[in-house]
Amino acid sequence: EAGVVQSPRYKIIEKKQPVAFWCNPISGHNTLYWYLQNLGQGPELLIRYENEEAVDDSQLPKDRFSAERLKGVDSTLKIQPAELGDSAVYLCASAYGTGGLDEQFFGPGTRLTVL
Amino acid sequence: DQQVKQNSPSLSVQEGRISILNCDYTNSMFDYFLWYKKYPAEGPTFLISISSIKDKNEDGRFTVFLNKSAKHLSLHIVPSQPGDSAVYFCAASWSGNTGKLIFGQGTTLQVKP
C-alpha cells in the first residue's frame, strides 16, 4: 500500500513569491493534517481536515497561508507571499478515521527554502 | 510555551546496551502519549503509545513508561541496534482534542556498532 505522497520534495524560492505544496493521503483515509517543522523542533499542527471540512485551522496564519481539500482526498497548502521565516519542512499526515484517535501516517515532507 | 519537552537533544549508546529517551510535559489534560521515530528525509513513523490509565506499555524491544505524578515519560530500547539510530519525538494528546498532537523537540539517538 502506498504511503502519504507529497510533492515537491524540495522547493527554493525568493521571498515574496508564492509557493504551493501538494499532498495525496493514503487511500481511504478521511483525516488529513498539515504540519510545520522548523529546524531542531517537532512538528506543529497547521490545519486538520475531516473529509473536506477544515475542523481545526486555529494555528494556520491566515494572512498568508491557505489550504484546501476540495474532494476530501488530495490537499494543497499555499503560502503567498513567502517570507524568510517560512523556511521549514512542511509535513502532511493522514489517518483512517475521524475523531482524532487513529494513528497518523506521515509523508516525507516538503523542504522549503526562502531566500 | 513548550508543553512537551525533550531536554536531551542527543544521545549516544553502544550497540546491545539500553537506550533511555526522556520526555516531560506540563499540561495535566494530556492523557495519551506517543513516540515517533524519524529517519533523515522521511516523515515520522509511529513507534509506541501509552494511555494515562497505564504506567507501562511494551512492544518488543521498546517499552514506554509513564509517571503521571511527575509528568514524565520515557522510552526504553533494549537491546539497542544501529538501525535504531534516528530522531525520536515524544508527542501528547488529550481526549476530545480532535487529533491534535503536541510534539517535543526530538532527541537524536546514535547507536554505535
Side-chain angles (χ1 to χ4, degrees):
Chain A
E1 178 181 291
V4 177
V5 179
Q6 291 188 248
S7 69
R9 292 293 309 276
Y10 304 91
K11 188 73 177 178
I12 301 174
I13 61 171
E14 295 190 347
K15 64 181 180 182
K16 300 186 181 179
Q17 294 299 306
V19 65
F21 315 123
W22 176 79
C23 173
N24 189 333
I26 293 172
S27 178
H29 279 200
N30 298 303
T31 301
L32 184 145
Y33 305 80
W34 281 103
Y35 286 88
L36 162 70
Q37 185 179 11
N38 286 305
L39 187 65
Q41 301 295 317
E44 299 173 39
L45 181 68
L46 288 173
I47 189 168
R48 172 174 176 264
Y49 284 93
E50 286 187 3
N51 300 305
E52 63 274 6
E53 181 183 0
V55 296
D56 184 356
D57 64 355
S58 57
Q59 304 300 311
L60 190 72
K62 298 181 185 63
D63 57 337
R64 297 184 301 108
F65 287 65
S66 64
E68 60 182 13
R69 193 185 185 202
L70 292 175
K71 296 182 179 179
V73 181
D74 295 4
S75 178
T76 56
L77 178 68
K78 298 178 181 177
I79 309 175
Q80 182 169 9
E83 298 179 351
L84 294 176
D86 297 331
S87 295
V89 175
Y90 292 82
L91 293 163
C92 179
S94 69
Y96 176 72
T98 57
L101 294 182
D102 285 11
E103 179 182 342
Q104 297 182 29
F105 294 83
F106 284 81
T110 297
R111 181 176 295 277
L112 173 67
T113 302
V114 182
L115 303 176
Chain B
D1 177 31
Q2 189 78 25
Q3 298 186 68
V4 178
K5 298 180 182 180
Q6 294 176 256
N7 292 316
S8 298
S10 62
L11 175 67
S12 181
V13 299
Q14 207 66 35
E15 180 179 7
R17 306 295 290 268
I18 184 172
S19 296
I20 300 177
L21 296 94
N22 294 303
C23 179
D24 298 294
Y25 61 95
T26 58
N27 191 334
S28 300
M29 291 186 64
F30 290 148
D31 57 9
Y32 188 61
F33 304 90
L34 309 90
W35 286 93
Y36 278 80
K37 176 180 180 180
K38 185 182 181 306
Y39 292 117
E42 295 183 13
T45 55
F46 170 76
L47 189 58
I48 192 170
S49 64
I50 188 167
S51 164
S52 61
I53 63 173
K54 293 186 173 182
D55 54 17
K56 176 182 174 182
N57 188 28
E58 282 184 79
D59 184 1
R61 296 184 298 113
F62 303 91
T63 303
V64 56
F65 295 92
L66 175 63
N67 182 334
K68 291 186 289 294
S69 61
K71 294 191 177 66
H72 177 84
L73 64 155
S74 60
L75 174 68
H76 293 211
I77 307 174
V78 183
S80 300
Q81 299 174 355
D84 296 330
S85 298
V87 179
Y88 289 79
F89 291 100
C90 169
S93 181
W94 66 97
S95 302
N97 78 331
T98 65
K100 184 172 183 175
L101 296 179
I102 308 298
F103 284 86
Q105 309 95 308
T107 296
T108 300
L109 173 65
Q110 182 184 31
V111 181
K112 298 179 179 178

